[in-house]
Amino acid sequence: MRKPDVKIVLLGDMNVGKTSLLHRYMERRFQDTVSTVGGAFYLKQWRSYNISIWDTAGREQFHGLGSMYCRGAGAIILTYDVSHLQSLVELEDRFLGLTDTANTDCLFAIVGNKVDLTEDGAAEDQEKEEGSSGGAAGSCVSAKVPKQVKLEDAVALYKKILKYKMLDEKDVPAAEKMCFETSAKTGYNVDHLFETLFDMVVPMILRQRAEGPVQTVDISSYNKQPKPMKSGCCA
Ligand SMILES: Nc1nc2c(ncn2[C@@H]2O[C@H](COP(=O)(O)OP(=O)(O)OP(=O)(O)O)[C@@H](O)[C@H]2O)c(=O)[nH]1
Ligand SMILES: [Mg+2]
């Protein structure tokens, strides 16, 4: 298996559409999903780099696994559902703490999915181009609901994350650049989300390569045997 150069992790409450976003991006379609158990990952080749993208389970019972999945992550996609305010609240209350195991220079993106459900209508146009595969995606026209989370709320959360991580706004990408609204159903903004992040992690990969591999002791190259002591006494 190819060795990943960097790891990106999707986090967020159950049902917000993490698995659907990954399917949409990797398989170019929207299909029925089952609630994720544990986690799963995809390997994406981006230019000459290998990027692993980890999908995690949002269900409470798998919460303990979250920090393990975040270990060494170069970017984390915190996902909520724009039609469900509590899913944004959960990001701060339940998921942010899991990111402590990520790299110190880890990037954070905040993604409001399911914009196609809201009265906003921004996600309509791409549906026909990208196509849906039936099932839950179906061709039926669903009733629109008011948007419960505005982009400004996501921007405010991004700023809270910077505070939590003790990062200075001028040292990290601007909030407006890191908050996205998407629809896994229509494909709206999905490529833009992933490819923006891929472009941003490339310099990280290059930096890691320049710094070289982590220093470890190679015991196989240490072939000089200690001389046996002549006498049995200790100094
Ligand atoms: N309308 C609409 N429905 C979506 C969208 N994304 C996902 N869904 C639906 O939302 C439900 C949950 O999607 P999943 O992708 O399984 O959600 P998840 O975040 O992976 O959930 P867990 O694996 O339980 O953490 C499914 O019924 C999807 O069909 C979207 O962009 N628009
Ligand atoms: Mg899932």
Side-chain angles (χ1 to χ4, degrees):
M1 194 177 80
R2 288 171 290 155
K3 191 176 170 301
D5 293 301
V6 72
K7 179 181 183 184
I8 296 181
V9 183
L10 280 147
L11 280 186
D13 205 358
M14 64 180 287
N15 215 36
V16 296
K18 301 176 295 297
T19 303
S20 302
L21 282 168
L22 251 180
H23 280 170
R24 166 58 82 186
Y25 183 67
M26 296 298 294
E27 292 164 16
R28 319 306 298 163
R29 65 200 172 109
F30 182 68
Q31 63 196 75
D32 284 338
T33 53
V34 285
S35 186
T36 304
V37 172
F41 88 99
Y42 285 81
L43 202 57
K44 166 79 185 172
Q45 175 141 27
W46 178 249
R47 308 206 180 109
S48 58
Y49 309 106
N50 297 320
I51 297 178
S52 61
I53 315 173
W54 288 78
D55 180 21
T56 61
R59 272 193 279 163
E60 187 88 52
Q61 71 189 101
F62 297 111
H63 194 64
L65 298 175
S67 55
M68 184 185 86
Y69 286 116
C70 289
R71 181 156 299 129
I76 292 177
I77 302 174
L78 292 164
T79 317
Y80 66 92
D81 172 349
V82 290
S83 64
H84 186 46
L85 180 60
Q86 187 58 25
S87 65
L88 184 84
V89 175
E90 293 286 315
L91 287 180
E92 187 182 351
D93 289 357
R94 199 152 69 87
F95 292 95
L96 186 55
L98 301 178
T99 67
D100 293 349
T101 51
N103 285 349
T104 44
D105 55 355
C106 180
L107 296 165
F108 289 88
I110 303 183
V111 176
N113 189 42
K114 305 197 188 181
V115 271
D116 61 280
L117 288 179
T118 67
E119 283 157 356
D120 194 307
E124 293 294 330
D125 13 343
Q126 230 167 323
E127 188 157 16
K128 290 174 205 87
E129 280 168 43
E130 301 270 357
S132 297
S133 70
S139 48
C140 61
V141 179
S142 46
K144 302 283 177 187
V145 295
K147 206 181 198 180
Q148 281 199 12
V149 190
K150 295 197 201 86
L151 199 55
E152 300 90 270
D153 302 326
V155 167
L157 175 62
Y158 184 82
K159 292 184 177 172
K160 279 188 192 170
I161 293 174
L162 298 191
K163 262 200 183 144
Y164 175 78
K165 300 278 173 190
M166 291 191 283
L167 291 167
D168 201 312
E169 272 187 54
K170 65 178 181 350
D171 298 330
V172 295
E176 290 69 20
K177 221 177 155 193
M178 300 309 281
C179 296
F180 301 79
E181 286 187 336
T182 59
S183 167
K185 183 175 178 181
T186 68
Y188 174 75
N189 238 357
V190 176
D191 288 358
H192 176 62
L193 159 69
F194 284 103
E195 291 171 5
T196 301
L197 278 184
F198 295 164
D199 279 338
M200 286 182 168
V201 294
V202 166
M204 254 181 217
I205 299 171
L206 297 176
R207 212 163 40 239
Q208 274 164 19
R209 285 187 183 173
E211 282 164 8
V214 178
Q215 291 289 313
T216 51
V217 180
D218 180 2
I219 51 168
S220 64
S221 66
Y222 190 76
N223 54 9
K224 277 189 187 159
Q225 294 295 319
K227 282 186 186 154
M229 285 190 192
K230 280 186 182 151
S231 69
C233 67
C234 311

